[in-house]
């Protein structure tokens, strides 16, 4: 057996081999002898089956097993010459060439290794930035919103016209071109003005109405409305307003704070303000990180941390992009690609730059997670999936099982790792103002 290795770069290598027919025959003989101990062939006792009979019974399978064993030898000897441990490989070795002739097999095995990434100066690539400042005014406005959400609707003390934020009780009857339509009428319907519960323009025209007043409200259904019969149509609603309620003012004091901070030792208004300020700071930091700093930081790392990429991983990423693109193409376009290899290859190459960037970013995040001692276990992934499912009114376990079956959990886990890694690095560069 002749072996020749070619280290393309630190992440990719090729092992070329010439396997003689004698080598294959020798391995076939060895495998056949081993099989005589366990083979069941009619007319022979177990363990007493002649080698010649085994060869005849399992001929093609024995040849395939002998060739597979020879290829394993090629891989092992090639890795020894490359001084690469099996554990350093990524993915399965790829047999890119396998030519059989009467006297030999010529084979080429491609292997990919985990990239060696130098993170020596990654912290120096991160610029310092000021922590977002939250003003007392912003804290006050948030607390007022909380108080408003806690307020109850009560009947008006003095009669007046309806205004934004009021809860009104109305009857309405809708028609298009003089004909009533299904679902367009209700009695004693409670509507908070400004809630956006009705189609655009409806609630605005209720503002200014008084108790007992009737009015024709004219609106146009949105083009993307759920019902094709109503989408884009002009409609009229005959509206009668029966009652107006306004929100009862909630006093923002220690008693109000005590209700919100139930279970805490310090139930003062000052503590409530401190907690609201901390919440606003976290929201501002989260927005700054997600909208600006994290994307920019990852791009900085991708641009400045250089290493060789395993080619087969890049090719897999290109295949994903190509399949996604194919899902948007017509049958004629797909047929054209199948019949024109050059055009298909050109389309594949158009995804290469983005694929390389994506693969590079993934390996960088993985290396940074090790450097920053960041881990996300299966339990954390389950918690985030359960939480999001509950937020959307879905069954958490069903959602998790569905993601698991579809193979989405590793991607969710990687996304969580990326978020934690970049957040921790940025936190170390945030300055108090």
């Amino acid at each position: 057996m002749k072996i020749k290795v070619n280290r393309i770069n630190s992440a990719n290598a090729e092992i070329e081999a010439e396997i003689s027919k004698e080598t294959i025959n020798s391995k076939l003989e060895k495998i056949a002898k081993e099989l005589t101990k366990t083979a069941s062939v009619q007319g022979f006792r177990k363990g007493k089956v002649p080698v010649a009979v085994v060869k005849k019974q399992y001929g093609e399978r024995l040849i395939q097993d002998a060739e597979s064993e020879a290829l394993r030898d090629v891989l092992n000897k090639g890795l020894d010459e490359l001084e690469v441990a099996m554990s350093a490989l990524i993915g399965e070795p790829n047999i890119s060439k396998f030519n059989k002739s009467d006297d030999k097999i010529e084979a080429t095995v491609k292997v990919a290794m985990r990239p060696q990434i130098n993170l020596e100066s990654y912290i120096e690539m991160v610029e310092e930035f000021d922590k977002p400042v939250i003003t007392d005014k912003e804290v006050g406005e948030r607390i007022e919103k909380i108080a408003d959400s806690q307020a109850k609707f009560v009947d008006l003390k003095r009669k007046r016209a309806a205004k934004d934020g009021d809860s009104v009780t109305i009857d309405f009857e809708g028609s298009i071109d003089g004909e009533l339509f299904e679902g367009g009428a209700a009695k004693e319907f409670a509507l908070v003005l400004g809630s956006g519960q009705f189609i655009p323009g409806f609630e605005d025209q209720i503002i200014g109405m008084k108790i007992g007043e009737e009015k024709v409200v004219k609106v146009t259904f949105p083009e993307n409305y759920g019902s094709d019969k109503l989408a884009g149509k002009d409609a009229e609603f005959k509206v009668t307003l029966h009652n107006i309620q306004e929100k009862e003012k909630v006093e923002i004091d220690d008693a109000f704070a005590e209700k919100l901070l139930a279970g805490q030792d310090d139930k003062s208004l000052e503590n409530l303000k401190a907690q609201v300020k901390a919440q606003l700071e976290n929201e501002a930091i989260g927005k700054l990180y997600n909208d600006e700093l994290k994307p920019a930081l990852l791009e900085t790392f991708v641009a400045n941390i250089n290493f060789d990429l395993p080619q087969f991983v890049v090719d897999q990423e290109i295949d994903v992009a190509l399949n996604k693109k194919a899902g948007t193409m017509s049958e004629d376009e797909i047929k054209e690609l199948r019949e024109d290899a050059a055009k298909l290859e050109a389309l594949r190459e158009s995804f290469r730059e983005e694929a390389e960037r994506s693969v590079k970013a993934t390996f960088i995040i993985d290396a940074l997670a090790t450097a920053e001692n960041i881990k996300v276990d299966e339990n954390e992934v389950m918690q985030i999936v359960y939480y999001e499912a509950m937020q959307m009114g879905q069954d958490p376990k069903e959602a998790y099982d569905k993601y698991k079956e579809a193979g989405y959990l590793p991607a969710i886990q990687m996304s969580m790792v990326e978020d934690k890694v970049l957040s921790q690095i940025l936190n170390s560069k945030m300055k108090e103002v």
Side-chain angles (χ1 to χ4, degrees):
M1 182 184 296
K2 297 178 182 178
I3 298 285
K4 179 184 176 183
V5 297
N6 174 28
R7 185 182 283 273
I8 298 169
N9 52 41
S10 61
N12 301 278
E14 286 183 345
I15 305 167
E16 297 180 1
E18 187 178 291
I19 309 168
S20 67
K21 186 176 182 179
E22 288 75 17
T23 300
I24 299 297
N25 288 340
S26 174
K27 290 188 176 296
L28 188 150
E29 193 75 20
K30 175 189 168 188
I31 294 169
K33 284 181 180 179
E34 288 294 321
L35 196 54
T36 61
K37 300 174 184 177
T38 57
S40 296
V41 178
Q42 190 174 1
F44 296 92
R45 285 183 298 162
K46 194 170 184 180
K48 299 295 183 179
V49 184
V51 172
V53 174
V54 168
K55 287 180 179 179
K56 186 175 180 180
Q57 180 86 3
Y58 299 98
E60 189 57 37
R61 173 186 157 187
L62 292 176
I63 293 172
Q64 290 174 358
D65 288 349
E67 290 172 352
S68 295
E69 188 171 307
L71 284 172
R72 282 195 291 274
D73 288 346
V74 168
L75 177 63
N76 289 330
K77 290 178 180 178
L79 291 179
D80 285 344
E81 288 194 29
L82 289 165
E83 297 182 346
V84 172
M86 188 72 76
S87 59
L89 298 187
I90 294 180
E92 293 294 324
N94 175 34
I95 302 171
S96 61
K97 177 184 175 183
F98 190 80
N99 295 338
K100 292 176 66 172
S101 60
D102 292 339
D103 61 339
K104 63 184 176 182
I105 294 174
E106 293 179 328
T108 300
V109 181
K110 290 184 176 181
V111 294
M113 289 79 77
R114 180 168 292 280
Q116 298 299 311
I117 304 174
N118 182 0
L119 294 178
E120 207 171 286
S121 58
Y122 75 94
I123 286 293
E124 297 171 13
M125 300 178 194
V126 189
E127 295 182 3
E128 290 188 339
F129 63 96
D130 293 336
K131 181 179 180 179
V133 176
I134 303 301
T135 65
D136 291 341
K137 181 182 178 183
E138 290 173 303
V139 173
E141 288 173 348
R142 174 60 63 87
I143 291 177
E144 285 177 6
K145 282 186 178 180
I146 296 171
D148 185 66
S149 70
Q150 300 282 319
K152 297 178 181 179
F153 283 103
V154 295
D155 290 333
L156 297 176
K157 294 178 181 178
R158 288 183 294 179
K159 289 186 179 181
R160 60 167 174 77
K163 63 181 183 179
D164 189 41
D166 287 341
S167 176
V168 296
T169 305
I170 58 173
D171 296 342
F172 61 87
E173 187 178 73
S175 62
I176 294 176
D177 297 330
E179 293 186 12
L180 301 179
F181 56 87
E182 186 177 354
K187 297 282 188 182
E188 301 287 323
F189 187 89
L191 172 65
V192 176
L193 300 179
S195 64
Q197 188 175 352
F198 273 45
I199 60 175
F202 185 96
E203 295 171 26
D204 293 340
Q205 296 178 63
I206 305 301
I207 293 174
M209 289 182 66
K210 297 179 179 178
I211 295 174
E213 184 179 348
E214 292 185 0
K215 184 176 183 180
V216 175
V217 172
K218 297 181 180 181
V219 292
T220 301
F221 282 93
E223 293 290 344
N224 60 350
Y225 195 71
S227 170
D228 292 338
K229 294 180 179 179
L230 301 179
K233 298 290 179 65
D234 293 329
E236 292 186 351
F237 286 86
K238 182 180 177 183
V239 178
T240 302
L241 192 150
H242 294 295
N243 192 31
I244 302 172
Q245 290 187 315
E246 62 184 351
K247 278 190 176 179
E248 189 175 37
K249 184 173 176 57
V250 175
E251 292 296 329
I252 298 175
D253 51 20
D254 284 337
F256 170 69
E258 188 173 352
K259 291 180 183 178
L260 295 181
L261 301 177
Q264 297 188 27
D265 293 335
D266 186 354
K267 301 182 179 65
S268 67
L269 181 58
E270 286 306 308
N271 185 35
L272 175 62
K273 289 179 179 179
Q275 292 192 26
V276 168
K277 184 175 183 178
Q279 182 184 18
L280 288 171
E281 283 178 348
N282 288 334
E283 290 175 7
I285 291 169
K287 181 173 173 51
L288 177 63
Y289 279 14
N290 294 327
D291 292 353
E292 298 178 35
L293 300 185
K294 283 182 183 177
L297 181 56
L298 187 54
E299 286 302 318
T300 296
F301 288 150
V302 169
N304 292 282
I305 301 175
N306 296 309
F307 53 93
D308 297 319
L309 298 176
Q311 193 53 53
F312 95 93
V313 181
V314 175
D315 288 339
Q316 285 181 337
E317 192 73 13
I318 291 173
D319 288 340
V320 169
L322 186 62
N323 289 334
K324 187 175 180 181
K325 176 66 176 177
T328 68
M329 298 171 72
S330 67
E331 290 184 13
D332 288 341
E333 288 174 321
I334 293 174
K335 182 181 178 182
E336 186 180 349
L337 286 177
R338 285 175 179 162
E339 295 174 352
D340 190 338
K343 190 167 186 178
L344 176 59
E345 185 59 27
L347 180 59
R348 278 183 58 81
E349 286 302 307
S350 71
F351 299 119
R352 182 168 297 279
E353 184 178 347
E354 180 55 32
E356 289 179 345
R357 183 215 162 274
S358 177
V359 170
K360 190 176 182 182
T362 299
F363 278 116
I364 287 173
I365 290 297
D366 186 54
L368 288 171
T370 300
E372 293 282 330
N373 196 27
I374 295 290
K375 294 179 181 178
V376 172
D377 59 30
E378 188 178 349
N379 221 21
E380 290 180 84
V381 177
M382 182 182 290
Q383 287 177 3
I384 198 73
V385 172
Y386 271 41
Y387 177 76
E388 290 182 358
M390 288 188 291
Q391 291 288 98
M392 298 173 67
Q394 299 174 349
D395 181 276
K397 188 177 185 309
E398 283 184 11
Y400 182 80
D401 290 343
K402 186 176 179 181
Y403 284 161
K404 188 173 184 179
E405 186 178 340
Y408 294 153
L409 295 185
I412 295 173
Q413 185 179 36
M414 190 62 201
S415 176
M416 292 172 67
V417 170
E418 178 181 320
D419 184 67
K420 278 190 173 185
V421 166
L422 297 179
S423 292
Q424 183 162 298
I425 293 172
L426 288 169
N427 288 343
S428 70
K429 293 290 184 172
M430 182 165 59
K431 298 186 301 179
E432 294 280 351
V433 179

